Amino acid sequence: MIKSIIRKELQVLVKEKGTFFWLFLLPILFIMMFASIFGNMSSKLTIQYYDADHTAESTAYVNVLKKIQGIELKTDTETSIEVQIQQIKDGKNTSLLVIPKGYSDLQKNNQQAVLQFYRDSTADAAVAPILAVLSNVSNGFRENKLQSGLLAAGKNQSEVTQLLLPPLTVKQNMENAAKTDAITQYVPGYTVMFVFFILITMVRTFIKDKESGMLARLRSTPLKPYQYLIGMWIPNILVVVIQCATLLTFGKVVYNLQLGDMSAIAAIVIGLAICATGIGLALSMLVKSENQGTAFTQIITMGGAVVGGLWFPYEMMPAFAQAIGKLSPQHWAQKGFQDVMVRSAHISDIWLSLAVLVAYGVIGLLIASLRFKSFLHSSSN
């Protein structure tokens, strides 16, 4: 009996045009769109500058900035400084570093030169890294001046080096095995997000079975509730597994997504499939109509995507949103994927994510089992 239900449901899913659109075509379009927009963004920090001095000293300062890793300098010599400042006021640019005329004379006379930094007062997040870089460069010039003074005072190079040695330093230890970028965010993110659109397909199928009288006919058979639910559950699990495999393969082939341990990826896919379809079973038993099911699906899918960190990195979210996000299955699926793809995790490292996903699926199945009798009695004769 279960095999017959599985066969029937697979045939329905294959013939359903909406299944292909919602679960395969639309997520691929979203991945392509967001990967194209954010995947090509430069990771370099851009500093717009204007050299009003045009001397060897001002050029030397610019060259110091150019040598800093991760810095990209831009200048517009055809536009006047007044116009460029007005562009900041109009919100067209965020900042402008101006090396004033007379900079060279001040440097030669050993006097302090004041560089002007014009900025958009509302762009604190964008400007802060630039200010940090400029401050470090200024400190470097100051150390060079101190070094020259100490050497002139009779100190040897070893003593000067010891005196200028900072009291503390920070050493970077890179732990991630792969690079984190837009691809490792959006490919797994939109894969997880669109997996939950299987809820619409499941609700539609259960409502059709109820309204067509099929469930009423099943009441006269010895079919047990768990047999019907499992028979409806397994085909949808298979669809989600195929969906995830398709989208992740697309990311690998088109964007060279580093998947990591394939057994761990497979475990997350299976756990995610059990989770989403288990919730789909519960939702199908609880809603009264297809429209109601669609509305709840949108809430679960979009709400989970926002707080689960599917649209933007979870670490960038405010603390209250992160706390809420940990209650969503989407967060644990995305965390599992990124742990494997970025942090070289294996199955033993993602057991918590797998446990949460499977737990959601099992709870959904239990709710569906408890509600099935009521759902069956509400079917048309």
Side-chain angles (χ1 to χ4, degrees):
M1 184 66 72
I2 293 179
K3 291 182 179 179
S4 299
I5 296 174
I6 292 174
R7 190 180 304 110
K8 184 271 296 182
E9 183 62 13
L10 284 173
Q11 292 173 349
V12 171
L13 289 171
V14 170
K15 293 179 181 178
E16 181 65 51
K17 296 180 180 178
T19 300
F20 175 77
F21 176 76
W22 285 105
L23 302 183
F24 295 92
L25 181 58
L26 193 59
I28 287 177
L29 292 175
F30 266 74
I31 289 171
M32 291 177 62
M33 179 175 64
F34 280 87
S36 299
I37 294 173
F38 297 104
N40 295 323
M41 291 180 64
S42 174
S43 59
K44 292 185 176 181
L45 181 65
T46 301
I47 299 178
Q48 184 85 17
Y49 75 94
Y50 184 90
D51 186 358
D53 197 43
H54 301 293
T55 61
E57 285 72 16
S58 63
T59 302
Y61 179 82
V62 172
N63 288 335
V64 170
L65 293 176
K66 286 181 179 179
K67 291 178 182 178
I68 301 176
Q69 187 177 4
I71 297 297
E72 182 180 5
L73 295 180
K74 289 186 177 181
T75 186
D76 185 357
T77 57
E78 297 181 357
T79 305
S80 68
I81 185 173
E82 291 78 14
V83 172
Q84 293 189 51
I85 293 173
Q86 186 60 45
Q87 289 175 343
I88 296 175
K89 294 179 180 179
D90 296 338
K92 297 179 180 179
N93 287 321
T94 56
S95 63
L96 176 67
L97 174 65
V98 176
I99 304 175
K101 190 172 182 60
Y103 170 83
S104 174
D105 295 334
L106 292 171
Q107 290 291 296
K108 290 177 180 178
N109 294 325
N110 206 24
Q111 295 179 355
Q112 185 182 51
V114 179
L115 277 62
Q116 300 295 328
F117 186 69
Y118 299 90
R119 51 158 294 187
D120 185 340
S121 60
T122 63
D124 291 340
V127 170
I130 299 177
L131 287 173
V133 169
L134 297 178
S135 177
N136 286 337
V137 172
S138 297
N139 289 335
F141 274 78
R142 183 179 60 184
E143 288 184 6
N144 289 336
K145 185 177 179 180
L146 284 172
Q147 182 175 358
S148 299
L150 290 170
L151 290 172
K155 297 288 186 180
N156 60 47
Q157 185 62 54
S158 177
E159 292 174 325
V160 171
T161 301
Q162 187 64 34
L163 286 171
L164 296 179
L165 193 68
L168 60 87
T169 186
V170 178
K171 180 183 178 182
Q172 292 190 71
N173 297 288
M174 310 297 284
E175 298 295 342
N176 290 343
K179 181 181 178 182
T180 303
D181 54 20
I183 304 304
T184 57
Q185 173 65 34
Y186 291 118
V187 174
Y190 281 109
T191 297
V192 173
M193 172 180 161
F194 280 95
V195 157
F196 284 84
F197 277 100
I198 194 68
L199 272 63
I200 294 178
T201 302
M202 296 181 71
V203 168
R204 184 183 296 120
T205 301
F206 277 99
I207 295 297
K208 283 183 178 179
D209 280 359
K210 184 173 73 171
E211 294 178 347
S212 67
M214 179 179 175
L215 282 177
R217 294 192 295 272
L218 287 175
R219 283 191 296 182
S220 61
T221 68
L223 181 69
K224 298 184 183 300
Y226 78 88
Q227 292 176 319
Y228 174 72
L229 291 175
I230 291 176
M232 298 292 282
W233 193 15
I234 292 177
N236 287 285
I237 289 177
L238 294 176
V239 169
V240 171
V241 169
I242 295 172
Q243 176 194 17
C244 291
T246 302
L247 297 180
L248 293 176
T249 301
F250 175 81
K252 173 65 175 178
V253 173
V254 178
Y255 298 107
N256 195 30
L257 175 68
Q258 300 302 311
L259 295 175
D261 184 351
M262 292 305 300
S263 61
I265 292 291
I268 298 170
V269 167
I270 294 172
L272 179 59
I274 292 173
C275 170
T277 53
I279 294 174
L281 287 177
L283 184 64
S284 300
M285 296 296 106
L286 293 170
V287 299
K288 304 298 183 182
S289 66
E290 184 178 330
N291 287 338
Q292 190 180 35
T294 301
F296 277 108
T297 297
Q298 297 291 348
I299 294 172
I300 294 171
T301 302
M302 299 303 178
V306 172
V307 300
L310 305 186
W311 291 351
F312 30 76
Y314 179 77
E315 294 76 12
M316 295 176 59
M317 296 165 52
F320 78 91
Q322 291 186 18
I324 297 173
K326 289 183 178 180
L327 301 176
S328 70
Q330 288 95 328
H331 163 73
W332 294 101
Q334 177 77 340
K335 184 179 185 302
F337 275 132
Q338 291 194 324
D339 282 345
V340 176
M341 295 175 183
V342 178
R343 303 176 182 88
S344 301
H346 302 284
I347 292 180
S348 59
D349 303 312
I350 57 169
W351 67 269
L352 181 57
S353 293
L354 295 175
V356 172
L357 292 174
V358 173
Y360 268 102
V362 171
I363 292 172
L365 177 61
L366 291 175
I367 293 173
S369 300
L370 295 173
R371 288 284 303 171
F372 182 73
K373 184 177 291 187
S374 175
F375 179 79
L376 188 62
H377 287 307
S378 67
S379 60
S380 304
N381 293 318

